[in-house]
Amino acid sequence: MRVLIDTNVLISAALSANRLSYQAYVKAASYPNHELICEQNVNDRPILRSAIESKADVLLTGDKDFLESGLKNPVIITPAEFLNLDEK
């Protein structure tokens, strides 16, 4: 699975190892997730473009605009949803 992690999740993960964001980061960076793409752009369009062009399966974010977009590919989910995602 290829996972693009939005900056807001990375910052939240860096601030506390007890947060869902940190747990989601660890899951995204662990086997069998061979592809981890970390996005640092501040504008939404470049982040979305990166997710699409890198062929990410998942965009991991807390950004309400992304979460409410209804985009299906990549799947856009929160850290909590990612932690509950079954691996296939």
Side-chain angles (χ1 to χ4, degrees):
M1 177 185 320
R2 293 174 62 98
V3 180
L4 188 135
I5 300 177
D6 196 359
T7 307
N8 60 30
V9 174
L10 288 174
I11 291 170
S12 183
L15 293 175
S16 175
N18 295 326
R19 291 191 171 188
L20 288 176
S21 296
Y22 177 77
Q23 294 169 15
Y25 171 79
V26 169
K27 179 179 178 182
S30 300
Y31 179 85
N33 300 322
H34 299 288
E35 302 287 337
L36 179 66
I37 307 108
C38 297
E39 183 56 54
Q40 298 180 11
N41 293 325
V42 295
N43 297 321
D44 287 350
R45 285 186 180 158
I47 294 169
L48 186 55
R49 192 174 306 121
S50 293
I52 293 169
E53 292 197 17
S54 67
K55 297 182 172 114
D57 299 305
V58 173
L59 171 55
L60 185 57
T61 187
D63 187 316
K64 185 178 176 182
D65 292 332
F66 282 134
L67 294 168
E68 294 177 350
S69 71
L71 191 67
K72 302 292 184 205
N73 192 10
V75 175
I76 301 174
I77 57 178
T78 66
E81 292 168 326
F82 183 73
L83 288 172
N84 292 321
L85 188 66
D86 288 330
E87 305 276 336
K88 291 186 179 179

